[in-house]
Every structure is written in structure tokens, then in C-alpha cells.
Amino acid sequence: MNITIDVQDINSRVEIQVKGEIDAYTAPKLRETLFPLSEQENISMVVDLSDVSYMDSTGLGVFVGLFKSVRSHNGEFRLVGLSERLRRLFDITGLAEIIDINSDAEGGLK
């Protein structure tokens, strides 16, 4: 199970492209890469999940934590490029009502 995380930090806007699967094995890498960025004041963090093929509850936990951290530092957090399957996961858990999500392809960073 592999994950690739590409981070582009442009001023106070961070764009992250995640590729692969987010599960119990890869979530710690995602967390350790993104959490330090989430603690910057007034950060705008956009995470593109258009190349994520699978995510379990461990991945959801990482994004909830990131969302809370970014918001507690007066920042903005957004997920883009969600597949129908990932979007349904956020809908079922009620997180789609809390986290800014754009599942349209044009919402991605590409």
C-alpha cells in the first residue's frame, strides 16, 4: 500500500496532491507530513484527493484532525477532487456538512 504526498507551499496557501490509498498503514505518513503545516496561522490548505483510490476510517480521522488544527489557527481547509466513493464516505459520516468539499473534477489542483 503506497501513498504519495506532493506539497506546494505558496505564501500562506498550501496545495497538497495525495495519490494512492489512505489506510491504517499510510495515514501516519499523511499525518506527519501535513500536521506541521496545519499549525501555521491563517493558512489556506487545499487537499486534492482525485488520485486517491481508497480511504478508510483512519484517513477520515486524519482529515478531521487537520480540519480542526487549521481552523484553530484561523485558517481555511478544503478537500477537492473527491471520487463518488470518497464523497459518499464523507456524506455518510456527516463530515461533508462540516468540511468544505468540492468533488467536481474542476475543483482539483491539476
Side-chain angles (χ1 to χ4, degrees), residues 38-104:
S38 73
E39 296 174 337
Q40 297 177 34
E41 282 296 318
N42 302 311
I43 190 97
S44 175
M45 182 178 284
V46 180
V47 183
D48 187 342
L49 301 177
S50 57
D51 292 321
V52 172
S53 57
Y54 173 81
M55 181 167 50
D56 66 11
S57 61
T58 313
L60 285 175
V62 170
F63 289 115
V64 169
L66 281 171
F67 171 76
K68 288 181 177 181
S69 179
V70 169
R71 294 295 294 268
S72 72
H73 291 90
N74 302 310
E76 296 177 4
F77 182 79
R78 186 165 50 118
L79 297 174
V80 298
L82 277 73
S83 66
E84 185 177 319
R85 183 177 185 170
L86 290 182
R87 176 63 193 232
R88 191 168 46 241
L89 185 61
F90 280 88
D91 285 340
I92 289 169
T93 58
L95 293 172
E97 296 177 19
I98 300 167
I99 298 174
D100 184 6
I101 295 176
N102 181 348
S103 57
D104 297 332

